[in-house]
Amino acid sequence: MKLGRLNHVGVATPSIEASIAFYRDTMGAEVIRAPFDLPAQGVKVCFIDTPNTQIELIEPLGESSPIHGFLAKNPAGGQHHLCYEVPDIHEAKAWFEAKGARVLGEPRIGAHGTMIFFVHPRDMGGVLTEIMETPKDGH
Ligand SMILES: CC[C@H](C(=O)O)C(=O)SCCNC(=O)CCNC(=O)[C@H](O)C(C)(C)COP(=O)(O)OP(=O)(O)OC[C@H]1O[C@@H](n2cnc3c(N)ncnc32)[C@H](O)[C@@H]1OP(=O)(O)O
Ligand SMILES: [Co+2]
């Protein structure tokens, strides 16, 4: 497997609006992308651009959101996952499985519109890791 760029750092938040204001007013980020819902993934998402990657703000969407547990333990929110790009999502899935790491579910469409999967944090040095097929248009 060829490890690609760090596509984004996922940051869970109880309020995506408050977090947008923080990145705009405290961090000086230019917030140009509107939040959007990903019902299939149980999150509301807003990407904050930085020169070399993105912050992916995620707020729970719906009762079965996978980040309710994280926010119950971290009520103010916090760093949730790292997402790396790979050229071939299926080759990457086989790679992690061959290493004995727990791939969570089947590859599915993520927030950038390309295929993604997650690898369990307990098998990744404590870091919930998202693997994403490199977007064809480069971002
Ligand atoms: C896909 C759309 C978008 C995109 O970029 O395209 C996103 O990124 S959406 C992001 C939200 N979706 C997900 O996170 C899906 C994958 N996540 C999961 O399946 C769960 O969150 C899971 C299985 C990682 C944890 O589930 P849960 O919190 O309900 O289980 P536990 O509390 O039992 O946790 C087990 C164990 O893992 C530790 N943990 C949980 N979350 C994290 C985390 N974000 N980073 C590091 N470690 C985490 C938790 O503390 C437990 O550890 P233990 O030592 O066993 O207590
Ligand atoms: Co993500």
Side-chain angles (χ1 to χ4, degrees):
M1 180 189 81
K2 187 174 179 322
L3 185 62
R5 67 187 280 267
L6 178 69
N7 179 274
H8 64 263
V9 176
V11 174
T13 174
S15 165
I16 209 161
E17 290 306 325
S19 293
I20 288 169
F22 169 77
Y23 278 92
R24 183 189 61 232
D25 303 337
T26 303
M27 299 303 290
E30 188 188 3
V31 181
I32 54 176
R33 301 171 191 275
F36 58 96
D37 290 351
L38 271 183
Q41 306 301 335
V43 288
K44 178 186 287 286
V45 179
C46 185
F47 283 109
I48 306 286
D49 293 323
T50 74
N52 62 333
T53 188
Q54 291 178 312
I55 301 298
E56 178 189 64
L57 298 174
I58 49 176
E59 180 187 289
L61 185 68
E63 290 306 309
S64 59
S65 173
I67 63 173
H68 280 307
F70 181 88
L71 286 171
K73 292 182 182 171
N74 307 277
Q79 186 173 316
H80 183 261
H81 63 275
L82 298 181
C83 180
Y84 299 94
E85 293 179 9
V86 295
D88 182 322
I89 196 76
H90 299 293
E91 178 203 24
K93 179 172 183 284
W95 169 277
F96 283 103
E97 287 170 338
K99 301 288 182 189
R102 282 164 286 180
V103 171
L104 299 168
E106 286 303 312
R108 55 204 184 271
I109 297 294
H112 280 290
T114 67
M115 296 296 270
I116 60 105
F117 63 80
F118 288 87
V119 191
H120 201 286
R122 301 288 298 281
D123 301 323
M124 301 298 285
V127 178
L128 176 59
T129 301
E130 178 181 352
I131 301 297
M132 167 185 150
E133 194 157 76
T134 303
K136 298 293 179 269
D137 63 1
H139 62 273

